[in-house]
Amino acid sequence: MKTPALTPWDRVQLARHPRRPHTLDYVRALCDDFIELHGDRRYGDDPAIIGGPARFADRTVMIVGHQKGSDARENVRRNFGMARPEGYRKALRLFRHAEKFGFPLICFIDTPGADPSMESEERGQGNAIAENILALAGLRVPIVACVIGEGGSGGALALGVADRLLMLEHAIYSVAAPEAAASILWRDAGKAPEAASAMRITAQDQYDLGIADAIIPEPEGGAHTDAAAAAEAVGAALRAALDALVGLPIDVLLQRRYARYRAIGRFQESQPMPNMPATVPPLPFKGS
C-alpha cells in the first residue's frame, strides 16, 4: 500500500517533534573544538540561543543557533527556543566576532518565535531583532542558515538573513504559527491545519517561492528517527553551500545577498484587477 502524502499540518507536527535533533546535536555531530560563548555584555545570557567558534569541514566557522530542550525541564530553562533580547544581542556579538576574524557564519534556525513576554518587550525585543537583521544584511563574511525545525516569525529571521538558506525536508518557515494565523484570520485556532496549507510554510513551498535554496532530505519518518543520518545530510549540504561561497570577493557576496532579498516577494498580476486601469500612473514627486 502506498504511504499517503504528508500534509502541511503533518509536517508541522514533525518539525515540532520533541525528539527532533536540535542545534547542539548537529554541532556535536559535525564540528570539532566547539567553544560555547555566553552573554550579551549588557544584561545576561540567554540559553535559548547558543553559539561560538568551531571547526567544520577543515574551516574555522562561527556557529549561532536557537536551542530547544530535550525534556520538559530543559525546555523551561531554554524557554522552548524562544529567545529574549539578550539572546539576540549575544548572537549579534558573535556575528561581529565572525566578521572581525573572517569566520564564515552558520546559523541553525529552530524557534516558534521570539519570546513575547512583557519583560522582553521592555528590554527591547523588537530593536534587538531589527539590529540583527541589519547586521546580517551587511556582514562581510559568507552566511549559511539552515532551518532544522520551526522557523517562526521575526524570531527566526533574526538568524535567517543569509547567502544560502537550507531547510530540512520536514522543517517549516513562516511569518506566524498556523494556530496564530487561524486565530487572526478565522478567530478559530482549530483551523490551524487549513492555515498551514494556505500559508505555504513547508520546505517545498519555500523552495518553490525562491526563499529556500535547497531541501535536505530526512530519514523516513523524520530526522528524529535517525539523528546520525540527518546530521550527515545536513553536514553535506552545509559543506556544499560554504564551498560555493568561500572565496567569493566580499563585494560580490554582498551584492548578491542584496539582490537575493530584493527579489523575494516580487510578483506580477496576470491581468488587471477589476475596476483598475491596466497601468497606474506614477505619483507626483516634489523634490527639494
Side-chain angles (χ1 to χ4, degrees):
M1 181 182 293
K2 186 177 179 180
T3 303
L6 294 174
T7 67
W9 185 243
D10 292 332
R11 296 185 190 275
V12 171
Q13 305 312 306
L14 285 172
R16 294 173 174 173
H17 197 285
R19 293 196 302 276
R20 192 174 179 86
H22 304 310
T23 295
L24 282 173
D25 297 312
Y26 289 106
V27 171
R28 291 170 184 139
L30 299 174
C31 299
D32 297 318
D33 302 324
F34 173 64
I35 301 172
E36 185 174 356
L37 302 179
H38 298 272
D40 67 344
R41 301 300 187 264
R42 296 189 190 182
Y43 180 85
D45 187 50
D46 183 359
I49 285 185
I50 63 97
R55 292 288 294 175
F56 169 71
D58 296 323
R59 295 186 179 98
T60 300
V61 298
M62 181 64 73
I63 303 287
V64 179
H66 301 98
Q67 180 65 29
K68 293 180 177 179
S70 300
D71 54 41
R73 179 173 294 181
E74 188 185 6
N75 257 326
V76 170
R77 184 171 73 87
R78 297 191 184 276
N79 201 30
F80 297 86
M82 297 186 293
R84 301 176 174 90
E86 50 271 25
Y88 292 116
R89 293 188 177 114
K90 173 170 65 174
L92 179 61
R93 183 169 73 87
L94 300 183
F95 298 163
R96 294 302 187 199
H97 192 87
E99 184 177 53
K100 178 179 179 179
F101 293 101
F103 299 157
L105 176 64
I106 297 175
C107 294
F108 291 98
I109 297 171
D110 188 16
T111 180
D115 179 66
S117 69
M118 182 183 297
E119 292 81 5
S120 286
E121 292 299 328
E122 289 173 344
R123 294 201 296 273
Q125 183 72 293
N127 180 259
I129 291 171
E131 285 185 346
N132 279 23
I133 293 171
L134 178 62
L136 289 172
L139 205 69
R140 299 179 68 82
V141 293
I143 308 170
V144 179
C146 184
V147 187
I148 57 175
E150 292 183 275
S153 194
L157 197 59
L159 270 62
V161 178
D163 300 297
R164 295 287 188 275
L165 179 69
L166 316 176
M167 291 186 68
L168 277 168
E169 182 182 0
H170 301 313
I172 59 172
Y173 202 39
S174 67
V175 69
E179 296 90 341
S183 296
I184 294 168
L185 293 174
W186 300 302
R187 298 185 181 182
D188 182 1
K191 292 189 175 182
E194 290 91 332
S197 297
M199 293 166 70
R200 302 191 66 182
I201 64 178
T202 68
Q204 187 64 56
D205 288 329
Q206 298 297 299
Y207 180 79
D208 293 342
L209 291 168
I211 296 171
D213 296 289
I215 300 172
I216 304 171
E218 297 189 24
E220 185 175 358
H224 61 283
T225 64
D226 190 341
E232 184 177 356
V234 168
L238 290 173
R239 281 191 295 273
L242 285 176
D243 287 343
L245 296 171
V246 172
L248 285 176
I250 293 299
D251 290 342
V252 172
L253 194 73
L254 293 178
Q255 288 169 5
R256 291 183 180 180
R257 193 182 303 162
Y258 176 81
R260 167 190 173 84
Y261 285 95
R262 288 287 293 175
I264 289 176
R266 286 184 181 174
F267 70 96
Q268 183 175 358
E269 296 284 355
S270 58
Q271 58 185 0
M273 295 177 65
N275 303 320
M276 290 289 288
T279 59
V280 180
L283 294 173
F285 174 75
K286 296 181 180 179
S288 55

